[in-house]
Amino acid sequence: SSEAKNMVKLPPVEFIDDVDKYMKDKKPDEVLGQLQEKFQTFKLLESRLLQSRARMLGKVPHIEKAIEMVMLLVEKESSSEQITVDFELSDHVYTKATINKGTQNVYLWLGANVMVEYSLEEAKGLLEQNKINANQNIANHEKDLNFVRDSITTLEVSMARVYNWDVMQRASAKGGSK
């Protein structure tokens, strides 16, 4: 709906209710060209939003895995035993790793070749906030995608209505000239 706040910063697409009134003093080819241009803009935006949403959906399981590991370390922090875990080197490649007793810090990969050392509590807080942010971004993308899809549908209907109006005008002009 046009009242819903959209994050994509594009104006809502107007539905052409009265085509005769809308097309008054306008050339059909120009109007169809403008509608087609808007349509292409929204299709490109839809594609970008889908890619971005897919990237974010892929990040959430990694964040959850990291939170689980930090929680395990917090749980075993005061333990006198060493912990042996399967450490993921890359996708589907694991090795055994032994974590020393009393481990109080972890290193988190922030991206862009940056790794930072955090205390277990700081790491847990940061990861939980990252998960909240990622889920909020996904929800925002869903809202934006709904807005963009509604706009695409409205543009498709508008293009069809203008095209059909133009066909009818040409047919009536032909019929009138006989």
Side-chain angles (χ1 to χ4, degrees), residues 16 22-23 26-41 155 158-160 162-163 166:
I16 302 172
Y22 182 82
M23 292 302 294
K26 294 181 184 168
K27 294 180 180 165
D29 291 341
E30 289 176 11
V31 171
L32 282 170
Q34 292 167 353
L35 291 172
Q36 186 66 32
E37 191 175 312
K38 282 184 187 177
F39 176 78
Q40 292 300 328
T41 301
L155 283 165
S158 294
M159 286 188 293
V162 169
Y163 179 81
D166 185 35

Side-chain angles (χ1 to χ4, degrees), residues 70 73 103-108 116-120 123-124:
V70 170
L73 291 173
T103 298
Q104 297 174 351
N105 295 322
V106 293
Y107 292 88
L108 295 180
V116 178
E117 181 179 9
Y118 288 97
S119 71
L120 293 176
K124 181 180 163 220

Side-chain angles (χ1 to χ4, degrees), residues 113-137:
N113 293 326
V114 175
M115 187 177 273
V116 178
E117 181 179 9
Y118 288 97
S119 71
L120 293 176
E121 288 305 315
E122 288 174 327
K124 181 180 163 220
L126 177 71
L127 290 167
E128 286 173 346
Q129 187 59 51
N130 285 354
K131 183 179 173 187
I132 290 167
N133 292 344
N135 285 326
Q136 183 60 51
N137 285 338

Side-chain angles (χ1 to χ4, degrees), residues 165-178:
W165 177 87
D166 185 35
V167 168
M168 297 299 280
Q169 295 302 310
R170 290 175 195 230
S172 66
K174 244 185 201 176
S177 66
K178 284 185 181 175

Side-chain angles (χ1 to χ4, degrees), residues 5-46:
K5 182 179 184 288
N6 71 76
M7 306 295 283
V8 292
K9 306 290 184 237
L10 285 173
V13 176
E14 288 184 45
F15 176 73
I16 302 172
D17 193 28
D18 185 351
V19 182
D20 285 323
K21 183 178 172 187
Y22 182 82
M23 292 302 294
K24 188 170 178 62
D25 301 326
K26 294 181 184 168
K27 294 180 180 165
D29 291 341
E30 289 176 11
V31 171
L32 282 170
Q34 292 167 353
L35 291 172
Q36 186 66 32
E37 191 175 312
K38 282 184 187 177
F39 176 78
Q40 292 300 328
T41 301
F42 277 99
K43 287 300 277 184
L44 179 64
L45 184 57
E46 178 187 36

